[in-house]
Amino acid sequence: MNRRHCAAAAITLVCALAVLAAPVQAMAAPVPEPAPTAPAAARPSLEEVRQQIDTLYRKAGAATDAYNLAEEQTAKQSGEIIKLAKAIVDGQAKIAELKNRAGAQAREQYRNGGLPPGAQLVLSSDPQLFLDGVNQVRLGQQASKSVLAELTRTQEDLETYTKDASINWEKLEANRLHQAKAKKKINAQIAAARKLESQLAKEERVRLLKLEEQAEYQAQSAWLGSGALGEINREASAGGKQAVAYATAQIGKPYVWGAEGPDSYDCSGLTSEAWAAAKRPIPRTSQEQWRLLPRIAIKDMRPGDLIIYHADASHVGMYVGDGAIVHAPRPGRNVTLTGAGSMAILGVVRPDK
């Protein structure tokens, strides 16, 4: 009996040892495989960076045009409001004066028993006084009608002035909001472009400038090679010569958006001021210059004409002859000469046509 108990205990011990000696991983959960790592984003080439920067500055240029137009319209609305405010004040003073005149006539009738002096003379037994009285009654009636008619007209004018002032004030506020929105967009685009440039090493920034010049040269060469310029060698008009002289005298001055000189310019600030110096005021923005000035064919260009660039008319330069323009390029650059075909040409306008 004891031998059977010992044998059973020995078998139990052997089984327990076998379980403990079994491999541990057979009892554990499967280990997941590591997730594949995403490949590192490829760094853009310097040419891609140049294109990104160019796009940002072009967007800033379009926003600058919107800002300048809103600023111009704001100034116009402010001027209109000032004129209307003066008209309202003058109208109120005139109404007060007409009311005094009408009141004086009413008081005169009251003092004479409700009859004007002329009406009293009509009742006179003297024939001559009777005739004088008839005439005075007629004149008095005409004067009363005239005062009342003028008072009515002035009141109507005053209502119109007030309504117009309210409309102009609403437009003024809308233009101010548009201007603020454009300003925010300009700053955002310029900040993004400058951030891209700041991330470049010094030697990369030098190469970036070379790439810009190379892109302009290639575009200019393609334009000249297309025969677009032809045999253009036309003489500038007297006004054109003055405008070109002004614009070229600004070479080297910095581009600043919204600036109209004398120390800095944006693209349309330069062209509008140049033609103002030639005693020929033109619209302030490149988009308005394209919309409102007479258009001419490229083959008919002469110095002083304005070349409008890009599909949205967001840039402008002044043709100076020999296939070149003077323009204010963008933030970070100065007023300079460059090829007229170095950017995508939308068309040409002539301020003094």
Side-chain angles (χ1 to χ4, degrees), residues 77-351:
Q77 298 306 140
S78 295
E80 287 295 320
I81 289 172
I82 290 170
K83 284 167 57 178
L84 288 167
K86 185 178 184 303
I88 289 170
V89 170
D90 291 344
Q92 289 172 335
K94 188 173 182 181
I95 285 174
E97 189 266 334
L98 289 169
K99 284 182 176 179
N100 285 337
R101 282 167 56 186
Q105 290 176 347
R107 288 191 295 274
E108 182 66 24
Q109 290 184 11
Y110 178 78
R111 282 194 296 269
N112 290 289
L115 294 174
Q120 294 178 2
L121 290 171
V122 168
L123 301 177
S124 172
S125 58
D126 186 319
Q128 186 58 47
L129 288 177
F130 174 81
L131 292 174
D132 291 342
V134 169
N135 189 47
Q136 286 189 34
V137 168
R138 187 182 300 114
L139 291 175
Q141 289 173 338
Q142 289 175 349
S144 297
K145 288 180 180 178
S146 176
V147 169
L148 291 174
E150 191 173 0
L151 181 59
T152 301
R153 282 196 307 271
T154 305
Q155 287 175 327
E156 289 173 351
D157 289 344
L158 193 58
E159 289 175 5
T160 300
Y161 295 151
T162 303
K163 184 179 179 181
D164 288 348
S166 177
I167 292 170
N168 277 278
W169 182 259
E170 289 174 3
K171 289 180 180 178
L172 177 66
E173 289 304 301
N175 286 328
R176 282 177 175 165
L177 289 173
H178 190 54
Q179 193 175 350
K181 184 178 179 181
K183 183 177 181 179
K184 185 177 180 181
K185 186 173 182 180
I186 294 165
N187 288 330
Q189 301 291 354
I190 292 175
R194 286 177 175 165
K195 183 179 179 181
L196 278 174
E197 288 188 84
S198 69
Q199 292 170 346
L200 299 174
K202 183 178 180 181
E203 59 272 14
E204 287 180 315
R205 287 197 292 271
V206 173
R207 285 173 53 210
L208 179 68
L209 181 58
K210 293 293 183 184
L211 284 174
E212 287 180 9
E213 293 171 350
Q214 184 179 349
E216 290 177 0
Y217 175 76
Q218 289 174 346
Q220 174 73 353
S221 298
W223 182 66
L224 292 175
S226 71
L229 195 59
E231 297 296 324
I232 295 178
N233 192 24
R234 291 177 175 78
E235 183 76 13
S237 65
K241 289 178 181 178
Q242 288 180 296
V244 168
Y246 180 96
T248 53
Q250 313 312 311
I251 290 174
K253 293 182 179 180
Y255 177 106
V256 174
W257 64 265
E260 301 175 82
D263 300 320
S264 58
Y265 298 87
D266 63 20
C267 66
S268 57
L270 177 65
T271 55
S272 60
E273 287 300 302
W275 273 101
K279 305 294 187 286
R280 188 71 177 234
I282 63 173
R284 168 64 177 87
T285 71
S286 59
Q287 291 175 344
E288 289 296 282
Q289 289 168 7
W290 173 244
R291 188 173 72 88
L292 298 174
L293 295 178
R295 300 178 186 181
I296 62 166
I298 290 176
K299 64 182 180 64
D300 296 325
M301 275 196 307
R302 68 188 187 195
D305 290 342
L306 305 182
I307 303 181
I308 309 298
Y309 293 95
H310 309 308
D312 58 359
S314 57
H315 192 71
V316 60
M318 179 178 291
Y319 186 64
V320 295
D322 297 323
I325 60 166
V326 59
H327 74 141
R330 64 166 177 82
R333 299 288 183 262
N334 297 331
V335 176
T336 188
L337 289 171
T338 193
S342 60
M343 296 168 282
I345 295 176
L346 178 62
V348 181
V349 294
R350 178 166 292 166

